Amino acid sequence: MSAAATLLVALAGCTSGMEPSRASSKPVTGTPSATIRPAVTQRPYDRAPARPLDKAAADNRDLAFLRAAFSPPVPTGHEVPPSDEVAVIHRLSAETGELAWMPDGRTFCYGMVREGYSSFRCGRLPEEAPAPGLLFTHTGDDDRAEREGDLDEVRRVVFVIAEGGPKRFDHVKRRKGMGPVHQAVARFPSGRMVTFLTFDHPVHGWELDPEARICRSDRAVCFPSEPVPY
């Protein structure tokens, strides 16, 4: 067993936190078929975990990062994953960055680690896709606590799960101040792949640009890079 795997096994069993509630799925009646959102994916969903590909796989260089990530508990009802199931989306420093994992085809967990702070969000994919080719979007968490005098430095980190891989995603139209797109691809035993994405933008002094987009290199999947503010 690798050092990273030993670390995560030792940290397993944490059971605190909050899990987002699953949105109910209501039948649509009297709506033109063109406006009905596509299903997330066809059942049956993968029952085995997805494993990260290539540089997204955690290794010995990530030991400090994983230790920092899993020192606080993961949300209730979820377990610290084995290291070979952790996809490292963004290595910001030796102990900070973003990661994600999917223990099955319906369940996901996303973590953001910053100096002295880490947070996790776990849940189940919605029954309806937020957009074609997308599985889940989260409008973001602030990367630090807001303090008087440094409000301009606070950034919001957005998390997205997209269908397929390993084609690259990037900004098509990028407003000044928008951070780069980070991504990690994971594959289920069935062969189905998903791409975890993160990017950040300023929290304050920000004006919405409805034309700003992030797209996959083949343009088959695109989504707004500036979600509607809270």
Side-chain angles (χ1 to χ4, degrees):
M1 180 179 292
S2 69
T6 302
L7 169 66
L8 294 187
V9 170
L11 291 172
C14 301
T15 56
S16 69
M18 296 181 64
E19 179 178 0
S21 60
R22 182 182 177 188
S24 61
S25 195
K26 298 181 179 179
V28 179
T29 58
T31 304
S33 58
T35 65
I36 298 176
R37 291 180 177 178
V40 170
T41 190
Q42 294 182 351
R43 287 190 172 95
Y45 293 94
D46 294 90
R47 299 192 178 190
R51 300 187 187 280
L53 301 181
D54 303 324
K55 295 181 180 180
D59 54 29
N60 288 337
R61 64 180 163 169
D62 298 308
L63 285 174
F65 176 40
L66 297 180
R67 186 182 301 112
F70 294 116
S71 292
V74 298
T76 301
H78 300 271
E79 298 179 352
V80 174
S83 62
D84 64 354
E85 295 177 15
V86 177
V88 181
I89 307 169
H90 181 202
R91 294 174 174 90
L92 185 59
S93 72
E95 296 187 1
T96 61
E98 293 118 40
L99 52 84
W101 69 94
M102 291 187 71
D104 57 60
R106 291 300 307 279
T107 310
F108 70 89
C109 286
Y110 155 67
M112 180 179 70
V113 185
R114 295 296 186 266
E115 292 184 11
Y117 170 77
S118 66
S119 67
F120 282 99
R121 289 182 178 270
C122 293
R124 291 172 66 82
L125 297 178
E127 290 292 339
E128 295 182 349
L134 297 185
L135 297 175
F136 177 80
T137 59
H138 172 54
T139 53
D141 294 306
D142 294 355
D143 67 352
R144 68 186 73 188
E146 294 188 359
R147 298 183 180 88
E148 186 175 356
D150 70 351
L151 295 181
D152 292 340
E153 298 179 10
V154 180
R155 300 184 68 83
R156 184 155 295 151
V157 180
V158 182
F159 173 62
V160 175
I161 306 177
E163 278 277 20
K167 290 182 172 63
R168 293 290 305 177
F169 283 81
D170 206 348
H171 295 277
V172 173
K173 180 181 180 183
R174 180 175 177 175
R175 177 184 285 275
K176 182 179 179 180
M178 179 71 72
V181 178
H182 303 282
Q183 71 180 62
V185 178
R187 181 171 56 203
F188 290 96
S190 66
R192 174 175 170 246
M193 291 189 286
V194 294
T195 300
F196 304 116
L197 302 157
T198 61
F199 56 96
D200 60 35
H201 61 79
V203 173
H204 300 280
W206 189 254
E207 294 183 5
L208 179 68
D209 182 353
E211 297 184 4
R213 292 285 186 273
I214 290 174
C215 292
R216 202 167 69 184
S217 59
D218 60 2
R219 298 296 192 268
V221 180
C222 291
F223 57 90
S225 61
E226 300 181 24
V228 177
Y230 293 122

